[in-house]
């Protein structure tokens, strides 16, 4: 009770117990924080005028649509037009030009539309070209009803590719084709001067072609 004559609202308040000696209550030592200001929206910059590149492609069809054919026969459907070429060929600008059993040859046209920030053709272009030749070389050695998929790809880039680099030729050769695995090797060279730009290897899994009779 407050002393007589002292209003109730003037009663001294008992201080709240503090932290143990030598310690500071964390909720008292931390400064007040506020939410960070919102990041202002940055409108997209209009693209500068420059070259425009377009391409078209036919709806892709799987090899199963070609019926019971050997891998070599399937690969040649892209050469004779029986089946449309894979859409990635038009996207990146390369094409299958020759096939034999255990061999596949692709050619591609470099350009600045394939550049990386360093001003050279992106290594992914060479990787895609190598993978295409390596896998197709394996395909050409498969019997009817068998298919493949790449499970390991090794790429070695030995010379930069520039916008004015002439046509590139990638030749892939099957090294081993078994019932469940296959390996292949390939080289990318200048189609006219034979200069080496990249080389690579692949390991493929071999399995029954989905949808094959």
């Amino acid at each position: 009770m407050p002393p007589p004559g002292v209003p109730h609202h003037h009663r001294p308040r008992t201080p709240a117990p503090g932290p143990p000696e030598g310690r500071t209550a964390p909720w008292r030592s931390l400064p007040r924080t506020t939410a960070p200001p919102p990041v202002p929206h940055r409108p997209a910059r209009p693209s500068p005028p420059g070259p425009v590149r377009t391409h078209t492609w036919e709806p892709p069809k799987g090899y199963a649509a070609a019926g019971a054919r050997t891998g070599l026969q399937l690969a040649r459907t892209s050469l004779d037009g029986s089946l449309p070429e894979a859409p990635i060929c038009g996207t990146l600008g390369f094409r299958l030009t020759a096939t034999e059993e255990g061999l596949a040859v692709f050619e591609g046209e470099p350009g600045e539309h394939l550049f990386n920030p360093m001003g050279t053709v992106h290594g992914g272009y060479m990787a895609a070209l190598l993978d295409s030749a390596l896998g197709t070389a394996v395909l050409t050695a498969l019997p009817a009803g068998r298919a493949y998929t790449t499970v390991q790809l090794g790429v070695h880039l030995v010379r930069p590719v520039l916008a004015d680099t002439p046509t590139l030729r990638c030749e892939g050769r099957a090294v081993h084709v078994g019932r469940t695995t296959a390996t292949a090797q390939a080289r990318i060279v200048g189609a006219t001067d034979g200069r080496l730009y990249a080389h690579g290897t692949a390991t493929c899994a071999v399995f029954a072609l989905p949808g094959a009779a």
Side-chain angles (χ1 to χ4, degrees):
M1 293 294 292
V6 178
H8 182 75
H9 61 275
H10 287 167
R11 183 179 63 177
R13 297 180 179 178
T14 304
E21 184 177 356
R23 298 181 61 186
T24 303
W27 59 86
R28 295 179 183 273
S29 61
L30 293 177
R32 289 185 178 182
T33 59
T34 57
V39 178
H41 174 68
R42 178 178 298 176
R45 291 181 296 180
S47 300
V52 176
R53 180 178 183 269
T54 61
H55 72 276
T56 59
W57 66 92
E58 296 183 52
K61 295 181 181 179
Y63 280 146
R69 304 189 188 188
T70 66
L72 179 58
Q73 291 171 333
L74 290 174
R76 287 178 173 171
T77 60
S78 295
L79 292 175
D80 63 21
S82 300
L83 288 180
E85 66 179 8
I88 194 173
C89 293
T91 301
L92 294 183
F94 59 76
R95 60 199 176 279
L96 178 66
T97 59
T99 57
E100 296 293 343
E101 184 173 351
L103 170 68
V105 181
F106 282 76
E107 290 187 355
E109 307 295 338
E112 66 178 13
H113 61 287
L114 301 169
F115 272 14
N116 58 28
M118 301 299 294
T120 60
V121 171
H122 197 287
Y125 174 76
M126 270 76 78
L129 191 54
L130 285 166
D131 188 34
S132 299
L134 290 161
T136 305
V138 168
L139 173 67
T140 62
L142 294 179
R146 304 295 286 176
Y148 76 95
T149 187
T150 304
V151 296
Q152 186 275 334
L153 177 66
V155 176
H156 303 273
L157 308 174
V158 300
R159 179 174 283 110
V161 177
L162 307 176
D164 59 354
T165 298
T167 300
L168 296 177
R169 175 185 173 93
C170 183
E171 184 177 296
R173 292 184 178 274
V175 176
H176 164 77
V177 179
R179 190 176 65 86
T180 58
T181 59
T183 59
Q185 59 188 17
R187 291 162 50 94
I188 297 178
V189 299
T192 57
D193 59 13
R195 298 182 70 189
L196 178 66
Y197 288 88
H199 57 97
T201 59
T203 300
C204 298
V206 178
F207 51 90
L209 178 65

